[in-house]
Amino acid sequence: MSEEKLMSKKKPAYPISKELDEYLDYYNRKIEIPIHYEDLLRFSGSVAVYDANDEDTLWVRVYYPEFDRDEIDLALKRVYSIFVSDGSDSILQYLNVDYVDYCTFGNSKPFRIKVRNILNDNYTLLYVKKTDASRVYGLELEHMLSPYNLNFVIYENTLIEEHIVGIPGDLFIKNNLPECSSFDKAQIAKEFVKFNERCMIRLLGDMRSYNYVVVPTHDFDSVVYKIRAIDFDQQCYEGKLKVYRPQFFKENNVMVDLVQNKLTINSVEQYILEERSIIAKRILSWGRRLKLLLEICRKDKISTPENTEMLKTQLQELTGDIKFRDSKNMGEVLTYALDFVKRNYEDVSMKQIIEKKF
């Protein structure tokens, strides 16, 4: 199936509702910052950014007029202090804004900021984007239902995210995977199965290879590989269930082949069951906070009626759970999906939900 048919042409940005804004404020995700996304758009020029192999990264390095540069640099240093420290000005003298990059590829059109500590050359990357309710729900769900904590804040129409460290999936598949041992490839296949399941359960779409990273961690005499999502604006929007399963994007064909070649069907079933069990336990452990987020999401508009109707029908066919039939919006579809996992993670028949492609 082609990408054009699999996904919509353009997903709109949805505003932050009053209830979601109050939720973010309560859980310290809402902080006053001294710069807005629109301020960074005042650049006067740019040059393309190329990687070590002299290939276009689709980012451009932007430059500001002299009378704007000092003001923007100071504001970005203060953003860094607020985001990762106590918000005081005492550390500003030790910081330098090395560059501001802008990406015109994709929906969010983010800015990437490199802030460096001049005393030791350690640096932090921050991403500045426009706020989008879909992305905020995606970030919060990733924080609660994945193995990873996320640091992000919003202020009015501006969202700031901390960089997620790892090797972009497309680059890993091209440059690193061919050099991996047979043991490593089996481990990566296992992680892709778990990642595929995690995305489907919490309805995170569009996990093409450039929207996730592979994280290698050295452990004694071996390397442990994990897969992490890095783009969250396709949370609960599309109507086709396949959009929420990374295995159906052609960019991930190499990973799918790896699963088929390195894992048996029994192993795939086992890893799916493991992931569902872990997510069910996370749903229970987050308790009130997750329940409140889902209540807000059920009142919100983050997709179209057509997409909601399509997805709830496909999920009902997949799970046999008639609750999906009564879903009025994507918030309710998401709630029933997580509730299904929580209720059935120990006794659901895994064979009924594994696509033949695996």
Side-chain angles (χ1 to χ4, degrees), residues 244-336:
Y244 303 101
R245 309 195 70 179
Q247 70 182 88
F248 288 108
F249 288 99
K250 68 178 184 180
E251 291 86 351
N252 295 326
N253 283 348
V254 173
M255 291 295 212
V256 173
D257 292 341
L258 209 61
V259 172
Q260 292 175 325
N261 295 331
K262 294 294 181 180
L263 303 179
T264 66
I265 187 64
N266 289 334
S267 294
V268 172
E269 290 179 26
Q270 174 194 336
Y271 297 142
I272 289 176
L273 181 58
E274 287 178 4
E275 192 62 26
R276 284 182 165 246
S277 299
I278 291 170
I279 291 177
K281 291 169 186 174
R282 291 192 186 111
I283 291 171
L284 293 170
S285 68
W286 278 98
R288 180 180 179 274
R289 180 166 175 173
L290 179 57
K291 182 179 179 182
L292 178 59
L293 183 70
L294 293 174
E295 286 178 359
I296 294 168
C297 191
R298 289 196 295 272
K299 299 175 184 176
D300 214 342
K301 178 184 178 182
I302 54 174
S303 187
T304 65
E306 295 78 15
N307 286 351
T308 300
E309 187 66 28
M310 183 186 302
L311 185 60
K312 76 178 188 180
T313 300
Q314 293 181 10
L315 282 171
Q316 182 180 341
E317 292 173 353
L318 179 70
T319 63
D321 190 342
I322 62 172
K323 285 189 174 182
F324 288 107
R325 182 183 60 194
D326 300 324
S327 303
K328 300 178 183 65
N329 55 47
M330 278 295 187
E332 292 190 1
V333 173
L334 174 63
T335 299
Y336 292 139

Side-chain angles (χ1 to χ4, degrees), residues 186-208:
Q187 183 194 152
I188 294 165
K190 165 191 166 185
E191 289 304 316
F192 186 76
V193 170
K194 286 174 168 279
F195 178 66
N196 188 75
E197 189 67 13
R198 189 158 65 244
C199 292
M200 185 186 71
I201 288 173
R202 42 77 54 98
L203 300 183
L204 176 63
D206 193 20
M207 281 300 108
R208 286 173 277 192

Side-chain angles (χ1 to χ4, degrees), residues 54-231:
D54 207 30
E55 295 182 4
D56 193 345
T57 63
L58 303 179
W59 290 82
V60 295
R61 190 144 298 163
V62 301
Y63 301 96
Y64 296 90
E66 187 174 349
F67 56 89
D68 278 340
R69 180 72 202 204
D70 290 342
E71 177 187 344
I72 288 174
D73 275 11
L74 179 60
L76 290 174
K77 291 176 186 178
R78 284 184 169 143
V79 167
Y80 173 91
S81 178
I82 293 168
F83 197 68
V84 304
S85 187
D86 62 355
S88 68
D89 287 352
S90 60
I91 66 170
L92 300 187
Q93 60 183 316
Y94 306 119
L95 301 178
N96 187 70
V97 178
D98 281 3
Y99 60 69
V100 178
D101 289 347
Y102 179 57
C103 183
T104 58
F105 177 72
N107 285 331
S108 59
K109 293 183 170 54
F111 285 93
R112 179 175 62 195
I113 319 296
K114 181 181 179 181
V115 182
R116 179 171 53 89
N117 186 315
I118 61 177
L119 297 178
N120 53 33
D121 274 345
N122 287 332
Y123 67 88
T124 298
L125 294 176
L126 303 177
Y127 293 86
V128 181
K129 307 173 181 178
K130 287 184 178 180
T131 53
D132 175 16
S134 301
R135 183 178 295 276
V136 170
Y137 286 119
L139 287 163
E140 275 291 286
L141 289 167
E142 181 76 2
H143 181 73
M144 288 187 264
L145 300 182
S146 82
Y148 315 104
N149 294 329
L150 295 184
N151 190 13
F152 73 93
V153 295
I154 71 159
Y155 177 60
E156 295 181 351
N157 67 336
T158 301
L159 168 68
I160 298 179
E161 298 177 31
E162 191 172 40
H163 176 65
I164 297 174
V165 176
I167 304 170
D170 54 340
L171 297 181
F172 181 86
I173 291 170
K174 178 182 177 181
N175 301 325
N176 300 80
L177 188 58
E179 305 302 320
C180 290
S181 67
S182 179
F183 173 80
D184 288 341
K185 288 179 179 178
Q187 183 194 152
I188 294 165
K190 165 191 166 185
E191 289 304 316
F192 186 76
V193 170
K194 286 174 168 279
F195 178 66
N196 188 75
E197 189 67 13
R198 189 158 65 244
C199 292
M200 185 186 71
I201 288 173
R202 42 77 54 98
L203 300 183
L204 176 63
D206 193 20
M207 281 300 108
R208 286 173 277 192
S209 56
Y210 49 77
N211 285 332
Y212 62 81
V213 293
V214 180
V215 186
T217 304
H218 289 270
D219 181 33
F220 294 105
D221 59 349
S222 63
V223 179
V224 177
Y225 295 89
K226 300 293 181 182
I227 300 178
R228 296 189 60 177
I230 59 172
D231 196 349

